[in-house]
Amino acid sequence: MRIAVLGGGNGGFAAAADFCEAGHEVRLWRTDAAEAARQVAAGGTILLKDVRGEREVKPALITADLGEAVRGATLILCPAPATTHAALGPRLAPHLADRQVHHSCGLVDHHESEAGQCVQAAGAEGFLGAGDLETI
């Protein structure tokens, strides 16, 4: 499955690494273009550390271009802090396509939020709770 992970913080890196290891095509979006370029120049990998040790995983794409990251994605995961979602929604909405599923981990009352309204108005499949991810 093509998965776009929005955010280059701890949650974004953890999700991207986990999805890469599970065999998905991961497209990691970072808000900081210089950091995205630096990471690509350094090999485009994420260092994963867990109970099995350390290893590098490589997303299919690391970019600061939001449209490029979400284009063709089946799942768009946004583990960024909830405080960033109101600003992200209007930026994300123009890039969404039919049948894309958007999961915003930080939104508590996503149906009433500005970000949720923008994403839903753009035709995203909808929002999911964490327990729903295995159903797609």
Side-chain angles (χ1 to χ4, degrees):
M1 178 184 334
R2 181 178 286 178
I3 301 172
V5 177
L6 308 184
N10 292 336
F13 284 129
D18 190 47
F19 285 134
C20 283
E21 284 223 316
H24 297 289
E25 178 189 334
V26 176
R27 302 160 74 82
L28 178 63
W29 175 71
R30 301 199 56 187
T31 58
D32 186 325
E35 282 300 311
R38 182 203 56 76
Q39 189 174 2
V40 169
T45 61
I46 297 170
L47 179 61
L48 174 61
K49 298 178 184 181
D50 63 14
V51 296
R52 293 185 289 161
E54 290 185 10
R55 60 207 171 278
E56 290 187 343
V57 297
K58 187 171 177 124
L61 176 71
I62 298 171
T63 183
D65 182 329
L66 186 56
E68 183 181 26
V70 303
R71 189 172 304 114
T74 302
L75 172 64
I76 301 168
L77 181 72
C78 186
T83 56
T84 66
H85 292 204
L88 181 58
R91 292 177 63 193
L92 177 61
H95 301 291
L96 296 176
D98 285 345
R99 310 294 301 160
Q100 285 182 312
V101 177
H102 179 264
H103 177 63
S104 293
C105 304
L107 290 176
V108 176
D109 191 7
H110 52 265
H111 295 290
E112 300 300 322
S113 73
E114 178 183 343
Q117 290 169 9
C118 289
V119 169
Q120 288 177 337
E125 180 68 15
F127 287 86
L128 297 175
D132 296 325
L133 289 177
E134 67 273 3
T135 64
I136 61 170

